[in-house]
Amino acid sequence: MRKNIPALILIAAGIAAVAAGICLDQHTDVLAKAIRICMECVGIG
Amino acid sequence: MGKKRTIIQALSAILCNANIKGFFTGQIYTGATKSVCVPGLNCYSCPGAVGACPIGSLQTFLTGLKFKVPYYVVGLLIFFGAVLGRAVCGFLCPFGFLQDILFKIPFFKKNRFKGDRILRYLKYVILALFVIILPFTFKLTPFFCKYICPSGTIAGLLLSAADPRVRPMLGNLFEQKLVILGIILSASLIVWRPFCKYLCPLGAIYGFFNKAALYRMDLSKDKCISCGKCAGVCNMNIDPSRTPNSMECIRCGECVKACPAGALVCGFIRQDASQKKSEEVV
Ligand code: SF4
Ligand code: SF4
C-alpha cells in the first residue's frame, strides 16, 4: 500500500514554515492586524 | 454526505464567528486566537470573527513597507491545503456555506453556460494581481480586501448595524463593494457558488493541492460503467470519472452518492485505495 508521500512532505513543509514564522514573531503581526478593524476590508477605505 | 456536510459547514461558520457579543456591540474580538488564520474566507473585521483571514493576513505581509517573507501564513495555507485541499471549501468556509444556502432558494437556475470554463481562470488573475502583485508593488493597500472581498463587505454591514457610529464613515468605497456583494449574492441564486468558481483567490490556492492532499478522491476504473451520472450531478461542472482530483472539485461528495457502481471514493484515503478495493472484488 502506498502512502500519500507528497501530502506528507507538504504537511512537513507547512509545519516548518509555520514554525519559522512563529520564531520570527509573525503570528503577532497577524494578531496586530486582526484585532483592529481593517478599514479597507469593511469598505471605509 | 449532504446533511452531514451541511452540519459541518454550519458548525464551522459558528466556530469561526463565535464572538456573538460582537454582533450586538460592534466591537471586534481581540483575543489571542486572532493570531491564527482560519482555513476559509472569513473577514477578521467581522464582529463575530475569532480568527484571522488567511488572504487578508497574506496581504498584510505583502503590503508592509519593510518586506517580510510571510512564512507563517504561507505555512498555514500549505498545511490546510496538504491535509484538506478544497475540502476546506466544501466543508469549512463560511462564505462557501452562504452560497450553498442561497442556491437552495427556489429561483431560476442556470449552472451550465457558455463562458463558464474561461471565467474559471479569473480567480487565478485575482490571486496574482489583487492578492500578490498590486499589494506588493503599491504597499499599504490590500487590494483584494479593499476592492473585491465580499466577506469584508458583510463585516462592514454587520458592524454598521451594531454600531451607529460606523454608518457615517461608509462612503463611495462601501457603495462599490456593496454592488459587488449584491452581484455575487444574486448570482448565487442562479449559479452554484459563483464566487468560488470564478473569483476566490483562496479557493484558487487550495485547488493546487487537490491532487496531493490527504483528503482526496479515487476512481476504480474497472468498476466505472461510464454512465455519466457523476458528471451530471456535479454542480462544479466537473467529470470526476475523468478528473477525480480536479482543481475545481470542492469535495461536496454528490458524485460519490450518485455513482451506481460505487466506483468513486472520497475522504482521507490512501492514494491507491480504490485500486485495492477493486482488486478485492476481482
Ligand atoms: S472558493 Fe473561497 S469562498 Fe469558496 S469556499 Fe473556497 S475559500 Fe470559501
Ligand atoms: S466532482 Fe464530485 S465531489 Fe467534486 S465538486 Fe463535483 S460532485 Fe462535488
Side-chain angles (χ1 to χ4, degrees):
Chain A
M1 262 209 278
R2 241 176 339 131
K3 281 204 179 108
N4 190 347
I5 303 293
L8 297 179
I9 293 173
L10 283 168
I11 290 170
I15 292 173
V18 171
I22 291 174
C23 289
L24 294 167
D25 252 354
Q26 293 189 348
H27 58 297
T28 54
D29 294 336
V30 170
L31 179 67
K33 173 75 183 175
I35 59 172
R36 287 184 194 94
I37 291 179
C38 162
M39 296 300 179
E40 291 91 349
C41 301
V42 301
I44 294 174
Chain B
M1 179 74 94
K3 242 202 190 124
K4 209 167 104 191
R5 189 168 76 89
T6 308
I7 293 169
I8 296 173
Q9 285 178 295
L11 285 176
S12 171
I14 294 168
L15 221 66
C16 290
N17 296 287
N19 181 39
I20 307 295
K21 203 174 84 188
F23 291 110
F24 300 99
T25 60
Q27 301 290 311
I28 68 168
Y29 184 68
T30 55
T33 52
K34 275 230 164 147
S35 62
V36 183
C37 298
V38 294
L41 194 80
N42 196 83
C43 184
Y44 36 31
S45 292
C46 174
V50 293
C53 167
I55 290 292
S57 303
L58 186 59
Q59 286 170 96
T60 300
F61 285 95
L62 298 175
T63 52
L65 291 174
K66 201 169 149 236
F67 177 66
K68 291 182 191 169
V69 180
Y71 294 109
Y72 179 66
V73 181
V74 171
L76 282 171
L77 286 170
I78 293 175
F79 180 78
F80 294 141
V83 176
L84 291 167
R86 284 196 81 176
V88 169
C89 305
F91 289 86
L92 302 179
C93 177
F95 199 73
F97 182 41
L98 174 64
Q99 291 169 89
D100 278 1
I101 294 171
L102 289 172
F103 193 73
K104 285 201 173 96
I105 296 172
F107 197 72
F108 167 71
K109 307 285 173 197
K110 180 93 180 136
N111 199 36
R112 289 169 201 257
F113 56 90
K114 229 176 129 190
D116 169 60
R117 290 280 139 205
I118 199 93
L119 276 173
R120 304 278 175 129
Y121 292 104
L122 199 55
K123 59 180 172 292
Y124 302 105
V125 176
I126 289 174
L127 171 63
L129 212 63
F130 283 80
V131 177
I132 300 170
I133 298 172
L134 291 173
F136 184 69
T137 311
F138 294 100
K139 303 294 177 192
L140 300 177
T141 307
F143 279 79
F144 175 75
C145 296
K146 184 168 180 179
Y147 296 109
I148 300 176
C149 185
S151 181
T153 317
I154 294 176
L157 281 171
L158 292 170
L159 281 174
S160 64
D163 185 352
R165 288 171 305 172
V166 175
R167 278 169 229 161
M169 292 186 228
L170 302 172
N172 282 349
L173 179 67
F174 185 71
E175 279 167 22
Q176 283 167 35
K177 285 196 72 174
L178 214 48
V179 171
I180 295 176
L181 174 68
I183 294 171
I184 291 168
L185 296 186
S186 331
S188 303
L189 296 169
I190 304 164
V191 179
W192 199 59
R193 291 191 177 225
F195 182 73
C196 305
K197 278 179 180 152
Y198 311 124
L199 305 173
C200 182
L202 190 54
I205 293 173
Y206 290 139
F208 290 115
F209 290 90
N210 260 4
K211 277 195 174 60
L214 287 184
Y215 196 97
R216 54 190 299 102
M217 193 188 291
D218 268 347
L219 168 84
S220 292
K221 287 207 175 95
D222 45 359
K223 278 189 184 177
C224 175
I225 51 170
S226 303
C227 64
K229 288 220 166 85
C230 53
V233 296
C234 179
N235 275 328
M236 289 302 274
N237 305 342
I238 302 159
D239 181 353
S241 69
R242 289 174 52 200
T243 50
N245 291 304
S246 155
M247 288 162 83
E248 296 291 321
C249 174
I250 61 144
R251 308 308 192 198
C252 70
E254 290 304 316
C255 54
V256 177
K257 252 191 338 198
C259 175
L264 287 165
V265 280
C266 191
F268 290 107
I269 47 180
R270 292 189 183 241
Q271 266 189 326
D272 55 353
S274 60
Q275 260 70 26
K276 189 169 176 280
K277 257 187 163 181
S278 32
E279 276 160 24
E280 279 165 6
V281 172
V282 177

